[in-house]
Amino acid sequence: MPMRTTGGTGPVATTKTVPRESGEHGDVVTDRGREGPESQESRESREGRDGRDEGRHLNSALLLTLLLVTAVMFQGPIRGALAAPVMQSWMTVFVAVMVQALPFLVLGVLLSAAIAVFVPPSFFARALPKRPVLAVPVASAAGAVLPGCECASVPVAGALVRRGVTPAAALAFLLSAPAINPIVLTATAVAFPGNPEMVLARFVASLLVACAMGWLWHRLGRTDWLRPPARASYEGQSKGAAFWGSVRHDVTHAGGYLVIGAMAAATLKAVVPAEWLGAAAGHPVWSVLFLAALAVLLSICSEADAFVAASLTQFSLTARLTFLVVGPMIDLKLFAMQVGTFGRAFALRFAPATFALAVVVSALTGTVLL
């Protein structure tokens, strides 16, 4: 007990006491501190449940139901619109393109998934020559015997780079595989039954562009432009799961772009005034550039683009050849996939060079062979 001395008085004893309320208040604060996170977690769980409940209200089944109800409610105006001659022509072209293209699309997707999953990338590394100058044409020619959609060619090319294949050869395979494989060439022959030279022209032009771009990258490309892919697309999955996952992915994406392409072809055929298309198709240079740009925008799968091109009868065979050469090598979805796989610096250089070279080579090839 401490002692304190004051003037004129004796020592006075002082004591230090702690109010019990402070301890009790401290306990309350502590309890509140314990209760704070728990209440926050409960609020977060309630918000999560609310978010999931909202997600259930916006699922695809409900949207489909709303669409069907809307169609039933307005079936009269819809029937009247579909009965118009323009819509009859539009539906005829749309259905014709879809019916002709779907079997080749499905077959191409199945073979593409089988190659991507069951053929090891090390096979290509062993089969290609060590010298890049020779590996480029060999890799380009390999696309003629290994069918694959352009949706699958980008991850396959990434796997080749990751396994040690020279980037020039991998990029040549990326361009040639979706353009000159047997499924694509067969579809082209079916789409152009009266013009068998179209098959040869597509094969020659696409092979030349693939080889030229591979050699160009070997000569001018820089390693810091190309970001190596981080991992395999189907790593950690069983073969069966990877196969069906690839099939579902390619059917969803390629099928969606096929529908868009068929709708665009039907619109150009039935809705756009004939004099507009005639003005574009009548000029040899503008017709080539117009269909080249259209191929980039439509982003149609290579197994089905021949049937869309065959429906554009206003344009010359050379312009339609440009459509068939440019589309499998560079379009909107391929550019996005190249950015995601190899990096933005690569795609911003590779895509414009591929587009320009494909237009020039296809125009020259069409002039000679068509």
Side-chain angles (χ1 to χ4, degrees):
M1 179 182 300
M3 305 291 294
R4 182 169 58 88
T5 303
T6 60
T9 63
V12 178
T14 61
T15 59
K16 184 182 295 185
T17 60
V18 178
R20 285 180 299 177
E21 287 85 353
S22 62
E24 293 172 358
H25 292 321
D27 294 339
V28 172
V29 172
T30 304
D31 292 338
R32 288 175 182 173
R34 292 193 193 100
E35 292 174 0
E38 293 177 358
S39 61
Q40 183 178 359
E41 290 176 0
S42 63
R43 286 196 301 270
E44 290 177 353
S45 63
R46 286 195 300 269
E47 291 174 359
R49 287 194 298 268
D50 294 340
R52 286 192 294 271
D53 292 339
E54 292 179 0
R56 294 191 189 101
H57 292 302
L58 296 177
N59 57 21
S60 57
L62 181 58
L63 292 177
L64 179 60
T65 303
L66 292 175
L67 181 62
L68 292 176
V69 171
T70 303
V72 172
M73 292 175 60
F74 297 96
Q75 57 179 323
I78 292 175
R79 286 178 179 176
L82 293 178
V86 173
M87 289 304 301
Q88 292 290 329
S89 176
W90 190 94
M91 290 296 297
T92 300
V93 177
F94 175 78
V95 172
V97 172
M98 291 294 297
V99 169
Q100 287 182 307
L102 271 179
F104 294 97
L105 176 64
V106 173
L107 180 59
V109 165
L110 292 175
L111 292 176
S112 171
I115 290 171
V117 174
F118 295 107
V119 178
S122 57
F123 167 80
F124 300 98
R126 293 193 302 266
L128 293 175
K130 299 299 182 183
R131 297 182 59 186
V133 176
L134 299 178
V136 166
V138 174
S140 300
V145 295
L146 295 175
C149 179
E150 58 264 33
C151 299
S153 65
V154 176
V156 169
L160 295 179
V161 174
R162 189 170 53 252
R163 295 298 180 88
V165 174
T166 177
L171 297 177
F173 178 82
L174 181 150
L175 296 178
S176 68
I180 64 173
N181 68 70
I183 303 299
V184 170
L185 297 180
T186 303
T188 306
V190 174
F192 293 89
N195 304 102
E197 66 275 10
M198 197 69 166
V199 179
L200 177 62
R202 182 174 194 177
F203 176 84
V204 171
S206 300
L207 186 61
L208 288 177
V209 173
C211 291
M213 283 303 301
W215 286 325
L216 188 64
W217 179 265
H218 175 63
R219 179 66 177 173
L220 303 177
R222 288 164 43 181
T223 55
D224 59 331
W225 291 346
L226 186 66
R227 184 187 67 195
R231 61 181 179 84
S233 300
Y234 308 108
E235 186 176 336
Q237 300 183 18
S238 65
K239 295 293 185 180
F243 175 79
W244 290 113
S246 176
V247 169
R248 286 193 299 269
H249 175 273
D250 288 351
V251 166
T252 301
H253 286 73
Y257 285 111
L258 172 59
V259 171
I260 295 174
M263 293 173 64
T267 302
L268 289 175
K269 190 79 172 178
V271 178
V272 176
E275 56 270 18
W276 292 9
L277 291 179
H283 196 283
V285 176
W286 287 115
S287 63
V288 169
L289 295 177
F290 178 80
L291 287 192
L294 188 65
V296 174
L297 295 175
L298 294 184
S299 304
I300 307 172
C301 184
S302 59
E303 281 90 355
D305 60 357
F307 299 97
V308 176
S311 67
L312 303 175
T313 55
Q314 304 94 332
F315 293 85
S316 65
L317 288 178
T318 299
R320 285 183 279 176
L321 174 64
T322 302
F323 180 87
L324 297 178
V325 174
V326 171
M329 295 188 174
I330 179 61
D331 56 32
L332 294 181
K333 71 176 186 297
L334 282 176
F335 180 79
M337 294 178 69
Q338 290 174 7
V339 170
T341 303
F342 298 111
R344 184 181 300 274
F346 165 81
L348 289 176
R349 293 169 174 84
F350 190 77
T354 302
F355 177 83
L357 190 61
V359 171
V360 172
V361 172
S362 60
L364 294 176
T365 303
T367 302
V368 174
L369 298 180
L370 301 177

